[in-house]
């Protein structure tokens, strides 16, 4: 709290609702230039108008919200978004890989990837790699990767990354979140010494529309809603660790770590397996077309 982001540019994926929207509002309040990378431009423009009304326009012009179209289920869209950013932005101080899809029925992205792995991991993998040069040129800069404690139930099965052989929506979400952590870990290793830091986080259980694909029996919905209001975090509460990692002087120079509730957390051994992280990186490079 109280940190200033004046003069800093932040990209947040999925910033029109939930955690991303809350983080966008707070970072705008800190006077950052916030680029909202969103799939639905109309919804994003509406969210931006609401955020501006909440935060208020500043007389000194510090703080700005910019909406840009970004569909992480389309590598073409990711490339177009990055091309525009590289043309228009002179610097990038923070990239928050926030957008995600949760326990959806079996679907494929535009490029033929299983939707949860494609959006949650591969889309962000390509996005980050294409913007890495700008992040390095803007150093000290930060990459923040939103994962989930549900990574604990995932495994990286290199024989079936695309879930062609079997699909379990819960397992595949967990796998994509484990991939997020392994990606953050390997990226931190690769950018060591460049002034770019990379950290992942668990936001907690938050009341957002992320669970829209989860089927709750009609009779159980009132009880579920009561429990969620009593025990789940609000989007603003859930976004605190993202905001902390994006802005706090406390984590300047800290990299390759995992956080929850603005504190460093221990990971299971499978989330710290450097051999798996490197293999996943190499395969992801081929999948998104960075390497032939």
């Amino acid at each position: 709290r109280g940190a200033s982001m004046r003069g800093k540019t932040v990209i947040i994926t999925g910033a029109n609702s939930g955690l991303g929207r809350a983080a966008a509002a707070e970072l705008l309040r800190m006077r950052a230039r916030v680029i909202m990378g969103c799939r639905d431009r109309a919804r994003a423009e509406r969210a931006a108008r609401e955020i501006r009304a909440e935060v208020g326009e500043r007389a000194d012009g510090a703080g700005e919200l910019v909406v840009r179209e970004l569909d992480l289920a389309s590598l073409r869209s990711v490339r177009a978004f990055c091309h525009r950013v590289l043309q228009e932005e002179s610097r990038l101080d923070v990239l928050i890989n926030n957008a995600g899809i949760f326990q959806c029925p079996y679907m494929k992205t535009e490029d033929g990837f299983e939707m949860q792995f494609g959006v949650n991991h591969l889309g962000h993998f390509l996005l980050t790699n294409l913007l890495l040069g700008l992040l390095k040129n803007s150093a000290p800069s930060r990459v923040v990767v939103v994962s989930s404690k549900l990574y604990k139930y995932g495994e990286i099965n290199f024989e079936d990354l695309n879930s062609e052989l079997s699909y379990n929506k819960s397992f595949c979400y967990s796998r994509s979140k484990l991939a997020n952590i392994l990606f953050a870990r390997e990226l931190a290793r690769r950018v060591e010494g460049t002034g770019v830091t990379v950290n992942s986080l668990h936001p907690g259980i938050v009341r957002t529309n992320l669970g829209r694909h989860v089927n709750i029996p009609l009779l159980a919905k009132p009880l579920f809603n009561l429990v969620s209001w009593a025990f789940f975090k609000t989007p603003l509460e859930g976004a605190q660790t993202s905001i902390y990692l994006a802005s706090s002087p406390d984590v300047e120079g800290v990299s390759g770590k995992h956080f929850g509730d603005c504190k460093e957390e221990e990971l299971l051994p499978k989330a710290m397996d450097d051999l798996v992280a490197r293999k996943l990186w190499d395969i992801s490079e081929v999948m998104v077309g960075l390497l032939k």
Side-chain angles (χ1 to χ4, degrees), residues 149 151-152 258-259 263-268 272:
K149 265 201 174 112
Y151 85 86
K152 294 176 179 181
H258 185 74
F259 288 78
K263 295 189 288 287
E264 191 180 329
E265 289 191 343
E266 290 294 315
L267 289 164
L268 293 180
M272 298 188 291

Side-chain angles (χ1 to χ4, degrees), residues 157-167 171-172 175:
N157 178 6
F158 289 110
E159 304 306 312
D160 191 28
L161 277 181
N162 214 31
S163 303
E164 304 278 2
L165 302 178
S166 67
Y167 180 71
F171 168 80
C172 286
R175 174 159 67 191

Side-chain angles (χ1 to χ4, degrees), residues 118-154:
V119 169
N120 298 352
H121 170 61
L122 291 174
H124 283 121
F125 178 87
L126 178 61
L127 176 80
T128 308
N129 272 284
L130 293 179
L131 296 176
L132 200 50
L134 185 56
L135 283 159
K136 287 177 179 177
N137 290 340
S138 309
S141 55
R142 306 179 184 191
V143 178
V144 179
V145 180
V146 179
S147 182
S148 165
K149 265 201 174 112
L150 292 175
Y151 85 86
K152 294 176 179 181
Y153 306 104

Side-chain angles (χ1 to χ4, degrees), residues 187-208:
L187 179 61
R189 187 187 71 81
R190 288 171 180 252
V191 299
E192 197 173 344
T194 65
V196 180
T197 61
V198 191
N199 294 290
S200 59
L201 69 104
H202 165 61
I205 303 173
V206 187
R207 292 194 301 272
T208 72

Side-chain angles (χ1 to χ4, degrees), residues 68-229:
R68 295 285 178 263
E69 199 169 313
L70 170 63
D71 183 357
L72 288 155
S74 163
L75 299 182
R76 178 178 47 83
S77 175
V78 173
R79 290 181 185 278
F81 172 86
C82 292
H83 179 72
R84 185 168 182 182
V85 167
L86 295 174
Q87 278 193 317
E88 295 180 351
E89 305 298 329
S90 59
R91 63 181 301 108
L92 176 57
D93 300 276
V94 184
L95 171 61
I96 303 179
N97 289 337
N98 164 81
I101 188 165
F102 178 71
Q103 295 193 8
C104 61
Y106 188 76
M107 297 186 280
K108 288 189 174 180
T109 68
E110 180 179 289
D111 306 279
F113 305 125
E114 185 275 312
M115 187 63 74
Q116 294 187 89
F117 190 74
V119 169
N120 298 352
H121 170 61
L122 291 174
H124 283 121
F125 178 87
L126 178 61
L127 176 80
T128 308
N129 272 284
L130 293 179
L131 296 176
L132 200 50
L134 185 56
L135 283 159
K136 287 177 179 177
N137 290 340
S138 309
S141 55
R142 306 179 184 191
V143 178
V144 179
V145 180
V146 179
S147 182
S148 165
K149 265 201 174 112
L150 292 175
Y151 85 86
K152 294 176 179 181
Y153 306 104
E155 300 292 341
I156 305 295
N157 178 6
F158 289 110
E159 304 306 312
D160 191 28
L161 277 181
N162 214 31
S163 303
E164 304 278 2
L165 302 178
S166 67
Y167 180 71
N168 176 294
K169 63 184 183 180
S170 300
F171 168 80
C172 286
Y173 178 76
S174 295
R175 174 159 67 191
S176 73
K177 295 289 104 179
L178 175 58
N180 287 157
I181 295 172
L182 291 167
F183 163 61
R185 185 175 179 85
E186 176 63 7
L187 179 61
R189 187 187 71 81
R190 288 171 180 252
V191 299
E192 197 173 344
T194 65
V196 180
T197 61
V198 191
N199 294 290
S200 59
L201 69 104
H202 165 61
I205 303 173
V206 187
R207 292 194 301 272
T208 72
N209 65 355
L210 188 68
R212 61 189 177 277
H213 293 294
V214 178
N215 291 318
I216 298 163
L218 197 60
L219 291 173
K221 275 194 174 174
L223 178 61
F224 175 80
N225 290 337
L226 185 67
V227 168
S228 70
W229 278 105

